[in-house]
C-alpha cells in the first residue's frame, strides 16, 4: 500500500525535462506525482505519474495534485528539489511517531535559509520562521475533511506572487490542525534563490505580503506593515505593502494578475 505522494508542481516542457532527467529514489510505498501545466497525463516510471492539467498558476497546479492524491500523506515538491530514499522514509516515520499530528514542516538542505534547531508547535511559531511549500507534509484526510486547498490568488502565476504557504498553514490552524516543526532534512534545494528572496521581484513580494496580512490579520495588517517598514527603513516597503493590503480587501474575488 502506498503511504506518501511527493507532489511535484512544474510548468512547461522545460520543467518536465528537468524532472525526467532527475533521479528520484525508488522507495516502497512512495509515489511521485507530477502536476504538469498544459500537458497530457502519462507515466514516466511505475512510481512517477504525470498529471496534465490546465492550471494557470502554481497553486492551481498544487490543488489539482491534491485532488488526484491516492495516499494519506502528501509532501509538496518542486522540480528543483532532489530527494534521497532515507529522507522520504524519515517523513513517513515522523508521521507514524506523531500520530496525532496533521501536518509537519521540515528542513531542506539549502544555502539561502537558516532553520530553527529544535522542534516546536506550529501553532506557536518562532519569530522569523517562514516555511516554504516544499517543506510541508500534510495528511490528505484532514484537507478533505475541512475542504482546505491553496488560495489560488497567491503563488507564481497568480495575482500575488508568493505567501501561499503562510495562508495554507493559517487555514490549517483555523480548522484545528495540529502541526509540528521538526529539524529533519527531507531534500536538497538545488536553486540558489526562492521567490521570496529574489531581488528582481521585491516590489511584488512586498505587495503579496500586504495582501497576506489582509487575509490573516485584517485589523492589525497596516500596523504590522508599518513596523516592518521601519525595520527596513523604507517608505516604499510600506507603500507596496498597503497597495497589496487594500487591493485584496477591495477586490477580494479577483484572481488574475
Amino acid at each position: 500500500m502506498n503511504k506518501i505522494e511527493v507532489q511535484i508542481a512544474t510548468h512547461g516542457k522545460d520543467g518536465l525535462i528537468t524532472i525526467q532527467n532527475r533521479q528520484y529514489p525508488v522507495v516502497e510505498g512512495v509515489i511521485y506525482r507530477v502536476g504538469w501545466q498544459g500537458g497530457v497525463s502519462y507515466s514516466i516510471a511505475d512510481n512517477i505519474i504525470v498529471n496534465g492539467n490546465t492550471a494557470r498558476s502554481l497553486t492551481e497546479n498544487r490543488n489539482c495534485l491534491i485532488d488526484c492524491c491516492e495516499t494519506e500523506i502528501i509532501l509538496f515538491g518542486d522540480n528543483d528539489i532532489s530527494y534521497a530514499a532515507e529522507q522520504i522514509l524519515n517523513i513517513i516515520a515522523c508521521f507514524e511517531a506523531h500520530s496525532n499530528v496533521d501536518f509537519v514542516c521540515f528542513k531542506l538542505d539549502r544555502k539561502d535559509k537558516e532553520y530553527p534547531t529544535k522542534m516546536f508547535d506550529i501553532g506557536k511559531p518562532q519569530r522569523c520562521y517562514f516555511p516554504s511549500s516544499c517543506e510541508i507534509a500534510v495528511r490528505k484526510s484532514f484537507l478533505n475533511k475541512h475542504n482546505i486547498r491553496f488560495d489560488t490568488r497567491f503563488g507564481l502565476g497568480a495575482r500575488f506572487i508568493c505567501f501561499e504557504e503562510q495562508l495554507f498553514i493559517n487555514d490549517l490552524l483555523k480548522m484545528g490542525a495540529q502541526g509540528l516543526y521538526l529539524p529533519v532534512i527531507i531534500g536538497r534545494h538545488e536553486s540558489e534563490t526562492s521567490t521570496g528572496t529574489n531581488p528582481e521581484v521585491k516590489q511584488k513580494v512586498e505587495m503579496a505580503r500586504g495582501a497576506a496580512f489582509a487575509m490573516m490579520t485584517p485589523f492589525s495588517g497596516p500596523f504590522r506593515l508599518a513596523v516592518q517598514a521601519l525595520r527596513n527603513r523604507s517608505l516604499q516597503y510600506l507603500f507596496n505593502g498597503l497597495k497589496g493590503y487594500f487591493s485584496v480587501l477591495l477586490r477580494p474575488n479577483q484572481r488574475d494578475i
Side-chain angles (χ1 to χ4, degrees):
M1 179 180 177
N2 293 324
K3 296 181 178 181
I4 183 171
E5 275 193 11
V6 182
Q7 298 195 338
I8 304 165
T10 192
H11 180 273
K13 292 183 179 180
D14 289 343
L16 196 60
I17 290 171
T18 299
I19 290 170
Q20 291 172 335
N21 292 336
R22 192 177 295 283
Q23 297 297 315
Y24 291 100
V26 177
V27 183
E28 184 179 358
V30 179
I31 293 293
Y32 303 91
R33 189 178 296 276
V34 180
W36 181 26
Q37 294 172 233
V40 297
S41 298
Y42 65 99
S43 294
I44 297 176
D46 290 342
N47 64 333
I48 305 177
I49 302 168
V50 176
N51 285 116
N53 58 55
T54 58
R56 297 172 298 172
S57 67
L58 174 59
T59 46
E60 285 187 12
N61 196 346
R62 292 207 190 281
N63 288 345
C64 288
L65 287 170
I66 293 171
D67 292 339
C68 294
C69 182
E70 297 177 354
T71 63
E72 170 59 0
I73 302 171
I74 298 172
L75 172 67
F76 300 114
D78 281 329
N79 59 18
D80 59 356
I81 307 292
S82 59
Y83 304 96
E86 60 270 21
Q87 293 171 335
I88 303 297
L89 290 171
N90 282 340
I91 297 170
I92 298 172
C94 287
F95 274 90
E96 291 175 345
H98 302 278
S99 58
N100 63 320
V101 167
D102 302 299
F103 71 100
V104 181
C105 296
F106 295 98
K107 294 173 56 176
L108 288 173
D109 181 5
R110 55 189 296 179
K111 299 178 180 179
D112 63 332
K113 185 173 182 177
E114 294 185 6
Y115 292 90
T117 58
K118 296 181 179 180
M119 177 180 72
F120 62 85
D121 181 349
I122 294 293
K124 302 173 183 178
Q126 293 192 5
R127 185 174 179 178
C128 298
Y129 170 68
F130 303 102
S132 69
S133 298
C134 298
E135 298 161 4
I136 302 170
V138 62
R139 295 188 191 275
K140 182 190 69 173
S141 56
F142 190 90
L143 298 182
N144 287 347
K145 179 180 179 180
H146 299 283
N147 194 30
I148 296 173
R149 296 293 187 269
F150 283 94
D151 190 327
T152 55
R153 294 171 296 182
F154 293 78
L156 286 173
R159 180 179 170 190
F160 300 105
I161 196 171
C162 56
F163 291 102
E164 69 274 16
E165 48 274 281
Q166 279 71 40
L167 291 166
F168 183 75
I169 289 175
N170 188 62
D171 288 343
L172 287 169
L173 295 174
K174 283 196 301 185
M175 298 309 298
Q178 298 297 310
L180 277 183
Y181 165 77
L182 295 175
V184 175
I185 294 176
I186 57 159
R188 178 178 175 83
H189 190 249
E190 305 289 353
S191 299
E192 293 295 326
T193 60
S194 61
T195 303
T197 59
N198 186 348
E200 295 182 3
V201 292
K202 183 174 180 290
Q203 179 180 353
K204 292 181 178 180
V205 170
E206 292 169 355
M207 287 180 61
R209 181 178 284 108
F213 279 156
M215 298 297 298
M216 295 187 295
T217 56
F219 298 108
S220 62
F223 172 76
R224 292 170 182 266
L225 289 169
V227 170
Q228 292 192 2
L230 285 172
R231 288 175 180 165
N232 286 275
R233 298 181 179 181
S234 172
L235 284 176
Q236 189 64 45
Y237 179 103
L238 179 60
F239 174 79
N240 292 333
L242 289 175
K243 185 177 180 180
Y245 175 88
F246 286 110
S247 175
V248 78
L249 289 181
L250 296 174
R251 295 176 289 156
N253 297 321
Q254 179 179 334
R255 296 189 179 275
D256 294 331
I257 299 173

